Every structure is written in structure tokens, then in C-alpha cells.
Amino acid sequence: GMKLNYVAKRKYAFATPNIISANAAEAIPGAKYIFIPLPVFAHRGVLLDIVPHCDDDACIVAMPATGCFDWTANQVMKELGRQIDVAGVAPLPYVCRTLDYAKETNFMGLKDQVGMATLPAGNIDRVASQVEEILGLKVKRYPSFLPITLTPTNPIMHTGRLMGMFGPNWRDNKYDRMIKFYDETDELSNTWLHRLDDENQLIAKAAEEAIGGSVGSVGSPDSNVKPINHYLKWASGDDITKWDTCKDCFQTNKHFSGLGSPMKEV
């Protein structure tokens, strides 16, 4: 089976899937909850593959579902003439790194809680309860997919950090080592992270003003679309020990510790 290394606790376990197949017709029929932990660019292709084989009462759960997963799912359903329930989770519950594809994975951490939305929206309580049981963590119920789409995760976190790390003149810079993506977050990165997040907050506020109830509360530590530092603390809990700024969250989140950057030795 696959070896799972729980890095933080220095433990490991083995697990064997019931079926592994590249053919959706072999794996999908009979499945009630179908989790697709994939990047946004893969959503459409995978939905086109699996939706024709879903049972009528199935539910497809995207993790993470940022990037307008609901729009993509609606488009695919119309093209295929199907109507399968979907749900979206943000952030991704797990922090993992593959060591040997399909054989060994480092499991570096589990979020305290995640947010969720469903289509139809009226399914949220039923589906969230099931997903809480399956994943073993708390699920915050959202009124629509907008709080999922506006979750301040990778589109802000990665873009802001990379802008601070490399900037517009990156071709002229030379680096003699791998930069730690989170541990070495600097003030320039922090500035960009919060500038991007400020814009995200304005979008959330405008959406709520235009369509009341679509986002819910905005801008406070308890809102559906939280400021980025409060969001990171909310999701990771005690694993973050300082959260005054995004830089603080990056540097004190033990799940992020030691992770490198998208750099390649040449």
C-alpha cells in the first residue's frame, strides 16, 4: 500500500485504496461523495471525465474550490445534460508533499477547519455534516460559492510572496541557494500580500452590497471573507503562534516550515 508519513509526530502508516484506475467508468459508479483534490486548471477535464459515470444522488466535492469551481461545474453539467450536486471546500484541508508518486507521501499537517459551499445552496447543512465526518474537521457553512472564490489562499499567498521574492527585475538577479518560501518572508512580500488582500476585501464588500446575503459578513476576524492573517490563523489554529501580519503567519506556521520555492538549480 501507500506509505503516509505524519511528519510532525514522526509516525507513519500504510493505506491501500480499494481501486486505482485511470478509467472513470471503473471507479466512479456507486460512489456517493467524490472528492477531487486538484488545482483549478484540472477541474474541467476531470469533471468531463467523471460526471457521465456519476450516480444521480452523487456529490462531487472539489478541494480547494477557489477559481470559480461552481461556474466550471455548471458549464460542464449543461454540456453533458446532467445535474449532479457539487460542493466546494477552501482551503485544502491537508498539507502534503509527494515523495514517490503513488507510493509515499509526507503528511505535514491538517487544518483546524475549512469553509464549504454547495450547489444547490440548500444542501449545505446535509453535505457539510457528511464531509465533517469524512474529513474529521470542522466545516463552516457559506451562503454561496462567493466566499469560497474570495478565500485569500494561493492566488494571493503565492502571487504576493513571489512578487516580493523576485520582483519585476528577477531576470537580473542571481540566487546561490533555494529560498524558503514561507520561513524567509520579508517586508516587501508582506506589503504585496496585504495589498492584494485589501483588494480582495473590497471585491467581497462590493459583491455583498450588490447581492445581499451572497457573501455575508466581510472584513472582520469572524466574517466569511476574513483579512488574510486572520483567515490563516482561523484555518490553522494553534499551528500559527503569531498572526499580526501575513508575514507573521507564514513564519510561525509549523506546517509551512522548511518548504522551498519554485526554483531550479541551473
Side-chain angles (χ1 to χ4, degrees):
M2 177 181 285
K3 184 181 181 183
L4 306 173
N5 301 310
Y6 194 174
V7 176
K9 295 188 176 181
R10 298 182 180 180
K11 295 181 179 180
Y12 65 89
F14 290 89
T16 304
N18 291 329
I19 182 172
I20 300 175
S21 176
N23 183 358
E26 296 177 352
I28 296 301
K32 173 62 177 176
Y33 288 95
I34 303 162
F35 290 83
I36 52 171
L38 299 169
V40 171
F41 69 80
H43 285 162
R44 176 175 168 79
V46 169
L47 287 171
L48 286 168
D49 283 343
I50 68 177
V51 166
H53 306 289
C54 288
D55 294 353
D56 291 339
D57 64 345
C59 181
I60 301 170
V61 184
M63 303 191 308
T66 49
C68 300
F69 173 73
D70 51 327
W71 286 10
T72 302
N74 267 332
Q75 184 181 44
V76 169
M77 300 300 174
K78 289 177 181 177
E79 291 176 16
L80 298 178
R82 296 292 307 274
Q83 193 55 57
I84 305 300
D85 292 348
V86 299
V89 169
L92 188 69
Y94 309 107
V95 181
C96 300
R97 290 294 182 271
T98 297
L99 295 180
D100 191 354
Y101 183 74
K103 294 181 180 180
E104 185 173 4
T105 297
N106 274 353
F107 174 61
M108 303 172 72
L110 175 67
K111 300 292 194 303
D112 270 24
Q113 51 196 331
V114 296
M116 171 179 278
T118 59
L119 281 179
N123 290 348
I124 184 63
D125 285 329
R126 173 175 56 81
V127 174
S129 295
Q130 289 294 313
V131 171
E132 282 179 326
E133 183 176 344
I134 294 168
L135 296 182
L137 75 171
K138 293 181 288 186
V139 172
K140 183 176 177 63
R141 281 77 163 159
Y142 290 147
S144 76
F145 262 85
L146 271 173
I148 294 288
T149 300
L150 296 172
T151 298
T153 50
N154 295 355
I156 292 177
M157 291 166 58
H158 293 175
T159 305
R161 175 66 177 117
L162 288 170
M163 186 62 182
M165 186 186 303
F166 300 121
N169 301 314
W170 64 272
R171 288 182 177 87
D172 299 327
N173 297 329
K174 296 188 182 298
Y175 304 91
D176 58 6
R177 63 179 180 84
M178 169 71 72
I179 299 172
K180 292 182 180 179
F181 194 83
Y182 296 102
D183 303 70
E184 297 184 73
T185 300
D186 56 11
E187 286 300 332
L188 180 58
S189 298
N190 190 58
T191 297
W192 277 106
L193 288 160
H194 283 281
R195 287 180 65 179
L196 292 170
D197 185 58
D198 289 345
E199 186 170 317
N200 191 59
Q201 289 290 314
L202 291 174
I203 294 169
K205 183 178 179 181
E208 178 60 23
E209 290 174 351
I211 311 172
S214 60
V215 176
S217 56
V218 176
S220 72
D222 297 323
S223 62
N224 289 338
V225 181
K226 309 175 192 301
I228 187 169
N229 50 318
H230 292 288
Y231 159 75
L232 290 168
K233 174 62 176 175
W234 170 81
S236 296
D238 292 340
D239 293 326
I240 289 177
T241 56
K242 186 178 180 183
W243 60 96
D244 293 337
T245 68
C246 191
K247 174 186 173 182
D248 293 330
C249 293
F250 279 14
Q251 291 183 339
T252 66
N253 189 337
K254 69 179 184 180
H255 295 164
F256 291 168
S257 180
L259 294 178
S261 301
M263 303 171 70
K264 184 178 181 181
E265 187 176 355
V266 294

